[in-house]
Amino acid sequence: MALVGPSPLLDNPFATVLGDLREERSATVSFPPGETRFSLARTRRFNDDPLPLLLEAYERFGPVFTLRLFHGNVVFMIGPAANHYMTVSHAANFTWRESHMRELVGLMGDGLLTIDGDFHRRSRLAMLPGFHRERILASVDVMVQETERALDQLAPGERFDLYTWTRRLALRIAMRALFGLDPDGAAARSVDAAGLFEQALSFFTSEAALRMFRGPLTPWARMQQAARSLDELIYSEISSRRGSGERGEDILSLLLDAHDEDGSTLTDLQIRDEVMTLMFAGHDTTTSTVAFMFYELAHHPEVVGRLLAEQDAELAGGGAGGRPNPAQLMSGELAELEMVFDETLRKYPPAWVGPRRSVEAFEFAGCTVPGRAFVNYSSWVSHHLPEVFPEPDRFLPERFTPEAKAALPKGAYVPFGGGSRTCIGMRFGQLEIRTIATLLLSRFTLSLPEDFQLEIRQMPTISPKRGLPMIVRSRPPRETQSLRSSMSSVHRG
Ligand code: HEM
């Protein structure tokens, strides 16, 4: 049987909203306690700054609560047990496609992230070989080359936007390593993929009411415009590969040759949807993580000292310009860097909310939740519970020593989700972030302009709202560094 995707979602947002309201009214069990009266202020607050709102609701109502947002009730399930329930033990009772983030289907189509059930399971199986350890390890050369190329554009004393810089870098890496696409070839050069993704994703930060309209000049039209330009790039690569028969080790080659038990292959549209999904998921999260990591490092010179001392000791050649080897990057054996990475993903997990819709009514922590309800888990909120991560607002990489990490309760730390929908690109993303961070630190130290205030944009992933301006400085020479790190370990001791 061929891989056949789901039927299209309703194209009329007003009809969709009516359908949601009808389903909410026909619920056969009550919603969990919470704020269930319409409030524009609450909806705005959720759009602008959801973390404190959700933490307050958790304090008042416990691990499962309801907030009326936009036009309807949304249930949140927070904390280790809730994360485990939704992603692992009862994952089959939740779908992604009709969740409150269903508008992403308008950009990505029916790629892995937004599909469910048997279609999801089989699509994932078809793509898994592209994410095997050896395949990922083979991408390290591209990651190193591209990062060094991007670093060559920076010079001490300069000010640049780290967020935009990383987005461009991560997209070039994704194009080359995942799809075998030449970012300097004629087709790729004719589109500004990073700019187009910015344009497409700005749909999700526009006013909820404006997102309902579909005519010209609407946020939706801008998103569609950007998607069509990205499509041209993807379709031209598909057609040129189909025409030439050329194949590589990349995921596009894998998708072009994937076939079912009955021999049927994927259509161009199915391949386009997977490529678009991977391009989006494969660069956006990485970009935010690098940006938040260096934002925190700029506030914690003592942590930078430890990272540089680790580089001096562990990287081939040591000191400034010391080079990591692929095995070091893949295994995460640079222990200080690993703790910084884990703590960054605790404090700022880019894919901060796991949007779902319940299939059947269920009971959790003594509360009932209706079937067909919007239900979300949230790593960001769960990672800020003081009973699980004391002093959650502080950036403390030492929370993630291997022993402390192993002692965390099941479901407590879920930056990559869990169960059958665990991030398929986790190893790729980890390798990429370690590579970018290691090479950046080995060449430069970054600091923030004094007047910079971090504001976070939350949709569809969390990222610095207005980019991340950084000032480039040379990496301190080895002697100063060793002195600083020995002082900081005395301090720690
Ligand atoms: C720091 C980097 C990354 C983080 C924190 C991250 C996080 C996540 C999370 C939390 C999910 C699950 C969402 C849910 O439960 O609704 C997810 C799914 C996914 N991620 Fe990532 N991701 C990262 C990098 C990547 C990369 C590099 C790729 C592609 C190369 C990728 C591709 C995907 C895909 C396709 C899915 C859907 C998987 C499925 O449903 O089967 N991600 N990611």
Side-chain angles (χ1 to χ4, degrees):
M1 193 182 59
L3 275 179
V4 179
S7 42
L9 291 175
L10 262 185
D11 203 19
N12 178 342
F14 293 96
T16 306
V17 164
L18 279 179
D20 291 345
L21 290 171
R22 226 175 280 128
E23 287 190 293
E24 189 180 299
R25 269 203 305 272
S26 60
T28 52
V29 299
S30 56
F31 277 83
E35 302 267 10
T36 52
R37 288 177 40 181
F38 174 78
S39 155
L40 197 57
R42 187 187 315 118
T43 297
R44 280 250 157 83
R45 209 175 153 209
F46 179 77
N47 258 342
D48 295 343
D49 199 11
L51 183 61
L53 173 76
L54 296 170
L55 283 168
E56 279 161 34
Y58 173 85
E59 279 300 310
R60 283 176 63 199
F61 305 113
V64 51
F65 55 85
T66 310
L67 295 181
R68 197 160 190 86
L69 299 172
F70 313 109
H71 62 280
N73 281 343
V74 182
V75 176
F76 289 87
M77 305 224 331
I78 303 298
N83 295 334
H84 186 75
Y85 183 95
M86 285 189 64
T87 58
V88 182
S89 64
H90 293 73
N93 194 35
F94 299 97
T95 62
W96 206 108
R97 191 175 164 73
E98 292 180 82
S99 70
H100 84 268
M101 279 168 81
R102 58 194 159 196
E103 282 156 322
L104 269 177
V105 175
L107 174 64
M108 293 191 286
D110 300 326
L112 204 56
L113 186 67
T114 55
I115 54 179
D116 299 297
D118 198 41
F119 185 55
H120 173 264
R121 189 185 58 78
R122 294 169 67 192
S123 302
R124 193 168 163 113
L125 272 181
M127 285 166 68
L128 272 175
F131 291 94
H132 281 166
R133 194 177 181 284
E134 299 67 39
R135 257 307 324 111
I136 300 296
L137 196 55
S139 309
V140 78
D141 284 346
V142 168
M143 294 178 184
V144 169
Q145 279 167 21
E146 286 295 336
T147 307
E148 293 200 323
R149 179 185 175 279
L151 285 169
D152 287 344
Q153 294 157 7
L154 304 179
E158 197 182 313
R159 182 172 159 148
F160 77 118
D161 181 349
L162 176 66
Y163 182 71
T164 306
W165 179 89
T166 314
R167 193 192 273 287
R168 291 186 186 282
L169 167 59
L171 261 171
R172 285 181 66 92
I173 292 175
M175 281 186 197
R176 283 184 65 188
L178 296 175
F179 310 117
L181 223 152
D182 177 5
D184 298 315
R189 269 215 328 265
S190 67
V191 297
D192 169 18
L196 289 169
F197 268 109
E198 277 289 348
Q199 179 181 331
L201 297 175
S202 69
F203 170 81
F204 298 94
T205 44
S206 52
E207 278 289 333
L210 287 181
R211 295 211 301 265
M212 301 279 289
F213 294 94
R214 291 292 181 262
L217 304 178
T218 57
W220 178 263
R222 275 175 56 74
M223 175 169 85
Q224 291 306 305
Q225 240 170 23
R228 295 301 75 85
S229 303
L230 288 164
D231 281 356
E232 275 176 36
L233 174 65
I234 299 172
Y235 281 128
S236 87
E237 188 65 18
I238 295 175
S239 114
S240 112
R241 296 272 195 101
R242 284 214 198 273
S244 67
E246 186 195 326
R247 298 291 186 269
E249 295 287 292
D250 53 87
I251 290 175
L252 181 55
S253 301
L254 192 87
L255 292 169
L256 286 165
D257 292 336
H259 52 78
D260 246 331
E261 298 97 68
D262 68 351
S264 55
T265 53
L266 300 184
T267 62
D268 284 3
L269 176 63
Q270 285 174 316
I271 296 178
R272 175 264 175 217
D273 289 351
E274 293 301 1
V275 170
M276 185 69 96
T277 298
L278 289 174
M279 272 222 284
F280 159 70
H283 90 283
D284 196 64
T285 44
T286 320
T287 304
S288 296
T289 308
V290 170
F292 286 126
M293 181 186 283
F294 280 86
Y295 168 80
E296 286 293 344
L297 290 179
H299 288 284
H300 292 91
E302 75 292 356
V303 178
V304 177
R306 299 206 294 264
L307 290 171
L308 297 189
E310 178 173 74
Q311 292 205 338
D312 291 347
E314 304 292 336
L315 301 192
R323 296 181 63 85
N325 66 48
Q328 273 176 323
L329 294 172
M330 190 73 187
S331 63
E333 68 188 56
L334 297 173
E336 295 283 352
L337 178 64
E338 216 49 26
M339 292 192 289
V340 166
F341 189 5
D342 284 341
E343 177 66 343
T344 304
L345 286 180
R346 177 196 68 81
K347 212 175 157 193
Y348 311 94
W352 70 278
V353 67
R356 300 286 192 274
R357 194 124 180 206
S358 58
V359 179
E360 306 279 351
F362 64 96
E363 210 178 307
F364 178 81
C367 298
T368 55
V369 179
R372 301 285 301 154
F374 295 101
V375 189
N376 297 332
Y377 76 93
S378 171
S379 48
W380 202 17
V381 184
S382 299
H383 292 177
H384 280 78
L385 301 183
E387 60 272 31
V388 186
F389 296 101
E391 300 186 274
D393 293 333
R394 291 186 63 198
F395 184 77
L396 297 172
E398 48 275 35
R399 298 181 202 274
F400 284 99
T401 59
E403 307 73 48
K405 194 172 172 182
L408 284 172
K410 196 162 59 181
Y413 183 61
V414 286
F416 292 99
S420 58
R421 303 198 78 116
T422 300
C423 176
I424 199 170
M426 178 171 77
R427 280 205 191 118
F428 185 93
Q430 287 171 328
L431 182 65
E432 183 177 12
I433 291 164
R434 289 182 196 124
T435 306
I436 298 173
T438 306
L439 294 178
L440 221 171
L441 282 162
S442 78
R443 298 242 306 245
F444 300 117
T445 300
L446 301 182
S447 58
L448 287 162
E450 264 172 28
D451 55 353
F452 180 76
Q453 292 287 333
L454 179 68
E455 279 181 74
I456 294 181
R457 171 176 85 179
Q458 57 103 341
M459 277 298 265
T461 47
I462 55 169
S463 58
K465 200 175 206 164
R466 278 178 268 280
L468 194 65
M470 283 279 188
I471 300 158
V472 184
R473 301 190 200 292
S474 305
R475 180 197 201 272
R478 191 169 183 171
E479 297 73 16
T480 327
Q481 199 38 62
S482 309
L483 182 64
R484 199 201 300 174
S485 65
S486 55
M487 284 172 67
S488 79
S489 42
V490 169
H491 195 65
R492 274 190 290 155

